[in-house]
């Protein structure tokens, strides 16, 4: 069994900051890419930020300069530091990870999603 558990969402005012965390738990052999996505009401899920196992990052244009993704490989955790939040950032934020499990042979990479955490930014 493998799961991603997110935390850190909430209600903030425009201009404030939040940090999201996502920890991978279970029979994990290796975690490759990790990322954050978001889905606003009535919209499709969109990429927010990605981070490779080596630490390379990629961001959506809408969050560049405001958000920062990082990971702690020893803790199987990925973070999303969100600064200068805007009402347009309001969405459910989902953690994603490409992981290899040691309880499934042969070892193969599978894609996993967290349950989502709500971020609401008031104007």
């Amino acid at each position: 069994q493998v799961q991603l558990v997110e935390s850190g969402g909430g209600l903030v005012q425009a201009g404030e900051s939040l940090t999201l965390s996502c920890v991978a738990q279970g029979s994990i052999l290796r975690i490759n890419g990790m990322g954050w996505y978001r889905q606003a009401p009535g919209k499709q899920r969109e990429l927010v930020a990605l981070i490779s196992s080596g630490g390379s990052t990629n961001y959506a244009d809408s969050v560049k300069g405001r958000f920062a993704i990082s990971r702690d490989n020893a803790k199987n955790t990925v973070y999303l530091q969100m600064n200068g939040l805007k009402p347009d950032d309001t969405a459910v934020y989902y953690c994603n990870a490409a992981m290899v499990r040691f309880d499934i042979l042969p070892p193969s990479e599978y894609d996993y999603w967290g349950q989502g955490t709500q971020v609401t930014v008031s104007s």
Side-chain angles (χ1 to χ4, degrees):
Q1 182 94 16
V2 170
Q3 62 178 352
L4 296 173
V5 180
E6 298 142 338
S7 61
L11 171 64
V12 297
Q13 292 189 335
E16 294 184 340
S17 299
L18 275 177
T19 300
L20 305 182
S21 300
C22 172
V23 57
Q25 301 174 332
S27 308
I28 301 167
L29 178 64
R30 184 176 68 250
I31 304 176
N32 295 326
M34 304 184 82
W36 290 94
Y37 292 73
R38 66 187 182 186
Q39 187 167 19
K43 296 186 177 181
Q44 290 188 332
R45 190 173 298 188
E46 62 177 4
L47 170 69
V48 177
L50 295 173
I51 185 167
S52 71
S53 58
S56 298
T57 59
N58 192 19
Y59 296 92
D61 288 342
S62 59
V63 306
K64 282 181 182 177
R66 299 188 298 122
F67 290 11
I69 188 171
S70 61
R71 62 191 286 173
D72 184 334
N73 292 329
K75 296 181 179 180
N76 288 345
T77 301
V78 63
Y79 305 95
L80 185 68
Q81 174 67 44
M82 304 184 293
N83 300 321
L85 282 161
K86 305 174 181 179
D88 284 349
D89 295 318
T90 295
V92 178
Y93 284 71
Y94 295 92
C95 174
N96 173 267
M99 296 189 282
V100 179
R101 298 169 57 165
F102 62 73
D103 59 341
I104 296 179
L105 297 176
S108 302
E109 182 180 282
Y110 295 90
D111 205 40
Y112 292 89
W113 291 89
Q115 80 284 358
T117 185
Q118 177 70 47
V119 172
T120 303
V121 185
S122 63
S123 57

